[in-house]
Amino acid sequence: MNTLVTIIVLFCASGTGIYSSIVSGMSGDHSVLISKSILDLFTAAIFACSLGMVVCMIAIPQVIIFLILFFAATAIFPLTTPGMINDFKACGGFLMLATGFRMVKLKNFPTADMIPAMVLIMPMS
């Protein structure tokens, strides 16, 4: 059960997923979201080798969370300024860069602790 929770967090609460859903809702640019889905396909295949078909159930909360973020971003977009959107994209870019550094073991950034910055950056800018 603990492994399943870890997988749910990996797929649903990743900085790339949150960032790509919100950018997709705000700008209509789906490129990062499509890239994440391709990466998730291979990651899910790897987890499915050890956990079996239960990995398919991850898609349900993932779709729900990302659709909520997408539609919330669509509703919030008219209330934002270009500076707020640029700050959000810069924060998301830094989070993806930190995740990459962590994956290649160059620097161990606490990326899970950085995810709230995605929510806080727009009101603060």
Side-chain angles (χ1 to χ4, degrees), residues 14-33:
S14 67
T16 309
I18 294 168
Y19 172 75
S20 62
S21 297
I22 294 174
V23 167
S24 181
M26 286 186 171
S27 66
D29 179 20
H30 308 294
S31 61
V32 179
L33 192 59

Side-chain angles (χ1 to χ4, degrees), residues 75-81 84:
I76 292 171
F77 182 67
L79 306 173
T80 61
T81 64
M84 292 170 78

Side-chain angles (χ1 to χ4, degrees), residues 1 5 10 12 40 44 52 55 69 73 77 80-81 84 91 95 100 113 119 124:
M1 184 65 177
V5 172
L10 174 72
C12 300
D40 282 352
V55 176
L69 289 171
F77 182 67
T80 61
T81 64
M84 292 170 78
C91 181
L95 190 59
D113 295 339
V119 177
M124 293 176 73

